[in-house]
């Protein structure tokens, strides 16, 4: 009886992260590369949010969702990258159990919310291109608000459920996580109990969400591409370019989720590379692909810069 009680108690107070590499030269290279990516992600996405807030011409459903995407990307990167940067300069890559749980919570909150947001954005583009005359009727501000609240609520519920699954498991060693941040698959792999049911719940939850949303997004863009056959060549070329760019980001982001969460909790050598794209590179690509290629956004940015220059004079 006493032995059973001890087994159900968590004795691990911290975890050791392996990081991206143990080679000091590689670590310094990783530090500078990811520092540049992180700063560019912060500057680019914060600039997008500020521009959308201050330019009334951008107060439309499309830019409402884009501002949410930029906000999520800033938060998503901040959950993992600063810790990873500090660890590359340290010999001991340690994270406390509580900090690990907090990182898991916010990682899944922002990641899951972004999955739902990308799905909503695909629907928004479908309505804008396939039903342009009814766009403002279908995507009115009441609908946008409901969709916004729904995706954040769904992300929160998902994150709470995953965090709860992780906390309930006992951890009595080992304590090494083969990654540069805490995530559910790598953490539950260290639990000193049978985790098959937990792994099934992870696959059925995150894996299913990623797969279903990916299929919905692909179908939405497929319908858009079919409808573009009846448009003029210039409009078709611009829309095709936009759809291709959006699908690139979706594939990178959801590809990671499907790869990590649609299989048992087993660490693979490819996990770190895929996770690096997921946490540092994709948030940087989003503002470039979704926003800075947009003529209205570029015009609004120039207007904002000119306004700042006039105030300084």
């Amino acid at each position: 009886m006493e032995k059973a009680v001890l087994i159900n108690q968590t004795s691990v107070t911290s975890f050791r992260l392996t990081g991206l590499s143990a080679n000091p030269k590689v670590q310094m290279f990783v530090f500078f590369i990811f520092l540049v990516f992180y700063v560019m992600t912060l500057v680019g996405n914060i600039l997008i949010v500020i521009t959308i807030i201050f330019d009334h011409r951008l107060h439309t459903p499309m830019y409402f969702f884009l501002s949410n995407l930029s906000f999520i990307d800033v938060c998503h990167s901040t959950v993992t990258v600063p810790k990873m940067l500090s660890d590359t300069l340290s010999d001991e890559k340690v994270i406390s159990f509580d900090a690990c749980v907090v990182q898991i919570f916010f990682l899944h909150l922002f990641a899951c919310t972004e999955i739902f947001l990308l799905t909503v954005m695909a629907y928004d583009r479908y309505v804008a291109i396939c039903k342009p005359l009814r766009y403002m009727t279908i995507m009115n501000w009441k609908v946008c608000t409901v969709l916004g609240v729904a995706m954040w609520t769904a992300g929160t519920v998902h994150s709470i459920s995953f965090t709860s699954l992780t906390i309930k498991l006992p951890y009595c060693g080992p304590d090494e996580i083969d990654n540069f941040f805490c995530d559910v698959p790598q953490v539950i792999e260290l639990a000193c109990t049978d985790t098959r049911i937990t792994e099934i719940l992870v696959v059925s939850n995150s894996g299913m969400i990623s797969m279903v949303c990916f299929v919905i997004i692909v179908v939405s863009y497929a319908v858009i591409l079919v409808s573009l056959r009846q448009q003029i060549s210039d409009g078709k070329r611009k829309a095709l370019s936009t759809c291709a760019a959006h699908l690139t980001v979706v594939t990178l982001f959801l590809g990671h989720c499907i790869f990590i969460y649609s299989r048992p909790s087993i660490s693979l050598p490819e996990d770190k590379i895929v996770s690096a794209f997921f946490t540092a590179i994709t948030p940087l690509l989003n503002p470039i692909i979704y926003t800075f290629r947009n003529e209205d956004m570029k015009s609004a940015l120039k207007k904002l810069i000119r306004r700042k220059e006039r105030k300084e004079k």
Side-chain angles (χ1 to χ4, degrees):
M1 184 70 178
E2 184 180 353
K3 183 178 180 181
V5 172
L6 289 173
I7 290 176
N8 288 328
Q9 291 179 343
T10 294
S11 59
V12 173
T13 58
S14 63
F15 294 106
R16 293 180 295 111
L17 302 170
T18 60
L20 286 173
S21 175
N23 188 315
K25 292 183 179 179
V26 174
Q27 287 190 46
M28 290 307 298
F29 175 76
V30 167
F31 174 82
F32 287 110
I33 291 296
F34 276 77
L35 178 62
V36 171
F37 283 169
Y38 182 59
V39 171
M40 291 175 66
T41 297
L42 292 183
V43 172
N45 284 292
I46 291 173
L47 186 59
I48 288 169
V49 174
I50 292 173
T51 303
I52 292 174
I53 290 174
F54 284 98
D55 196 315
H56 294 286
R57 295 175 302 170
L58 301 181
H59 291 181
T60 63
M62 178 178 128
Y63 290 104
F64 167 74
F65 293 124
L66 281 175
S67 63
N68 271 269
L69 179 64
S70 292
F71 174 75
I72 290 173
D73 282 337
V74 169
C75 297
H76 189 202
S77 293
T78 303
V79 171
T80 57
V81 177
K83 170 63 177 170
M84 186 269 286
L85 291 175
S86 65
D87 283 345
T88 57
L89 302 178
S90 174
D91 294 331
E92 291 293 327
K93 301 173 178 58
V94 179
I95 184 170
S96 69
F97 183 86
D98 292 339
C100 183
V101 170
V102 170
Q103 193 175 60
I104 288 173
F105 173 81
F106 284 107
L107 179 70
H108 282 270
L109 168 63
F110 297 124
C112 188
T113 303
E114 183 163 343
I115 290 174
F116 290 126
L117 175 57
L118 291 172
T119 308
V120 170
M121 289 174 66
Y123 174 72
D124 175 71
R125 291 299 83 207
Y126 160 75
V127 176
I129 295 174
C130 299
K131 303 179 185 295
L133 298 179
R134 298 178 55 200
Y135 177 69
M136 291 309 299
T137 302
I138 298 174
M139 298 300 294
N140 57 64
W141 281 112
K142 183 179 179 180
V143 171
C144 291
T145 302
V146 170
L147 289 173
V149 172
M151 68 188 188
W152 278 101
T153 302
T156 302
V157 171
H158 165 83
S159 183
I160 290 174
S161 65
F162 259 43
T163 306
S164 299
L165 286 174
T166 307
I167 293 176
K168 289 180 180 179
L169 295 174
Y171 300 93
C172 46
D175 61 353
E176 184 178 271
I177 296 175
D178 189 22
N179 211 325
F180 58 93
F181 64 91
C182 287
D183 199 3
V184 173
Q186 289 83 20
V187 173
I188 65 175
E189 189 179 355
L190 303 178
C192 49
T193 186
D194 188 354
T195 60
R196 283 179 292 182
I197 295 177
T198 305
E199 291 178 22
I200 291 172
L201 291 174
V202 170
V203 172
S204 61
N205 192 325
S206 278
M208 189 62 66
I209 289 174
S210 302
M211 291 289 289
V212 170
C213 288
F214 183 73
V215 170
I216 292 173
I217 291 170
V218 171
V219 170
S220 297
Y221 282 118
V223 173
I224 290 173
L225 294 176
V226 171
S227 69
L228 287 175
R229 293 180 179 180
Q230 301 175 358
Q231 296 186 15
I232 58 175
S233 59
D234 290 339
K236 181 188 291 186
R237 191 179 302 111
K238 183 178 179 181
L240 283 172
S241 175
T242 301
C243 289
H246 290 190
L247 279 174
T248 300
V249 173
V250 168
T251 301
L252 286 173
F253 189 83
L254 287 179
H256 164 271
C257 297
I258 294 170
F259 178 77
I260 296 294
Y261 303 111
S262 296
R263 58 179 171 83
S265 299
I266 301 172
S267 295
L268 299 176
E270 297 82 5
D271 286 352
K272 293 182 182 181
I273 298 174
V274 175
S275 296
F277 272 92
F278 176 66
T279 59
I281 298 175
T282 303
L284 177 60
L285 291 177
N286 281 343
I288 296 173
I289 291 177
Y290 277 93
T291 310
F292 291 139
R293 297 171 71 253
N294 185 289
E295 292 298 329
D296 292 336
M297 192 68 200
K298 288 192 287 188
S299 175
L301 282 170
K302 291 177 183 177
K303 182 180 177 182
L304 184 67
I305 293 172
R306 286 196 296 266
R307 184 189 302 175
K308 183 179 179 181
E309 289 176 348
R310 284 198 297 267
K311 286 183 179 180
E312 291 177 351
K313 291 179 181 179

